[in-house]
Amino acid sequence: MLYDALIGPFTEFEFMRRALAAVIALALAGAPIGVFLMLRRMSLVGDAMAHAILPGAAIGFLLSGLNLFAMTAGGLIAGFVVAILAGVVARSTGLKEDASLATFYLVSLALGVTIVSIKGTNIDLLHVLFGNILAMDDQTLLVVAFNATITLVVLAVIYRPLVIESVDPLFLRTVSRAGGPAHLAFLALVVVNLVNGFQALGTLLAVGLMILPAGIARFWSRDLTVMISIAVAAAAVSGYAGLVLSFQTRVPSGPAIILVASVLYVVSVLFGSVGGLIRQMFPGRHLEA
Amino acid sequence: MAAQVQFHQVQFHNVTLGYDRHPAVHHLEGEVPCGALVAVIGPNGAGKSTLLRGIVGILKPLAGSIDLGGLDARDIAYLPQTADIDRSFPISVFDFVGTGLWRSTGLFGGIGKPARDKILDAIAAVGLSGFENRPIGTLSGGQMQRVLFARVLLQDTRLIVLDEPFNAIDAKTTADLLALVKRWHGEGRTVLAALHDMEMVRNHFSETLLLARGPVAWGPTAEVLTAENLLVAMRMCEAFDDGAAACAVDDGRSQAA
């Protein structure tokens, strides 16, 4: 009975297996990126970038229909353009990164909406906005896996300067020139993972599988590597449970995954061992030293 | 006059440093010999921090140049006045101090047993043994300053630049960290420190640069810290003048050239 509910869908249906593979790939790559977004106080930057991707994806959609490959390429280009322009403007002028990003993503979003409303009135467009992880073909799955692999490799390369830049940017500037490139590479990874996410979850929810697991991890550890591990696990569990939930009920898969993650998040806020609410309300007697 | 052939760690060639074309330090000429222990003093807004930022290459001079005696700007250990450190970031004292090894490890270099020992030694040298695994967010202000000194120690550079390193630090910590500064001096490193405490400068620093937008006096501490010089420094005008004309000293120079 339990087997039928929890494992059955995946042994029985190939599309469920593909979806599970995709969501695990997303978890492996997206969650670490989310942790860094959160620690660098850029959680909403991810959200902004998700909107910035829209015109590229829309152009890809117009050119070749619901071809996820074309939409991914378009999304990547749009995202990179916005991320790099915003990063360059912020670094070469006094403007703060968030302000310059807000400008560029709003322009991008306006362009995207314009393109969509001129040409696309298709119901398929819902797929762009909300994704469909249950419709993964081989090609798309490979793209997702490829992007996830690239992400992990690049993250390993820039890990050290990225961490130091997050803690003490001025120090990194005085000892190395790696800070700027590391930051830009990180922004690029954010874009890659957002595009990856919107295959499965849509542009609007793509950020969810990055930020929610990071938020969860923050409540369970004070150590960066442990935090990243917890975030990946939380994302993978949310993905799996969301797929099961979606299969057994009529909840669409994307929202189901994010809803499961948000349940985990609420539990973490309440019971988390690092700054959780219950722990704060009943901290126990204070220690001797 | 054989003493004049000594090597210079830092040489200022008519350096003007500032922001938005407004100079904060004007036409500084002079040199810091290798192994010198120099206090940079002056009232608030005198340009002490600006000068140090110029030396470490964060700020480009508006005019003139700074010669580091062949040293790359990245081979300077620099402790800024207000370190822009995200104390909430989950990183341990050990890892944070370890970033001081950047020059030898770079992006990918491993941190083996010798490096680990070095880090532990540096942490012990600033009196923080036992704090290795504490997240930096749990440290007090004085402890954090000790951590920053440990990192400077680990950077192991010939030139060390400290911007008001003893601000808001208690007497015990100040004494400990000052001992470390003297140890660096003893090891032949060049140390420049922006300071406010005249007593400390008189007692511990052999050479002093008194700054008030421009150099008021520079030389042996006892000769610089005269009532007369300090009065001149106090009268310094602090505000930028938005309507200021281009600097006349430069005009004179370019016409002469």
Side-chain angles (χ1 to χ4, degrees), chain A residues 56 68-78 195:
Chain A
L68 282 178
F69 196 76
M71 284 162 56
T72 302
L76 274 178
I77 292 168
V195 171

Side-chain angles (χ1 to χ4, degrees), chain B residues 165-234:
Chain B
F166 307 120
N167 265 8
I169 301 293
D170 71 13
K172 171 81 170 67
T173 306
T174 302
D176 287 356
L177 298 182
L178 191 59
L180 212 52
V181 171
K182 290 182 139 179
R183 175 179 144 193
W184 290 330
H185 181 53
E187 289 167 347
R189 303 176 203 273
T190 312
V191 181
L192 270 92
L195 295 169
H196 268 302
D197 183 344
M198 295 293 169
E199 271 318 293
M200 179 190 288
V201 174
R202 280 206 175 86
N203 294 335
H204 302 285
F205 287 76
S206 52
E207 201 179 319
T208 297
L209 164 60
L210 176 56
L211 210 59
R213 307 290 294 277
V216 174
W218 189 354
T221 300
E223 291 171 27
V224 169
L225 292 185
T226 61
E228 202 179 323
N229 282 341
L230 292 175
L231 197 63
V232 172
M234 289 295 284

Side-chain angles (χ1 to χ4, degrees), chain A residues 36 39-41 156-158 160-164 166-178 218 221-224 227, chain B residues 56 58 73-76 78 80 84-86 88-91 96 99-100 102 105-111 135-136 148 151 155:
Chain A
F36 276 102
L39 291 177
R40 291 166 74 89
R41 301 198 172 81
V157 171
I158 64 169
R160 193 175 277 172
L162 189 63
V163 167
I164 302 180
S166 308
V167 191
D168 192 350
L170 190 58
F171 171 74
L172 189 63
R173 260 179 75 190
T174 58
V175 296
S176 161
R177 287 210 187 89
R218 191 75 170 107
S221 176
R222 284 199 174 91
D223 181 274
L224 183 56
M227 220 183 257
Chain B
V56 300
I58 295 175
R74 266 160 274 160
D75 293 329
I76 303 173
Y78 170 57
D84 183 15
I85 293 171
D86 179 2
S88 67
F89 196 91
I91 186 170
F96 186 85
T99 60
W102 178 276
T105 58
L107 241 65
F108 307 113
I111 298 205
I136 57 168
L148 291 171
R151 186 172 68 181
Q155 281 183 269

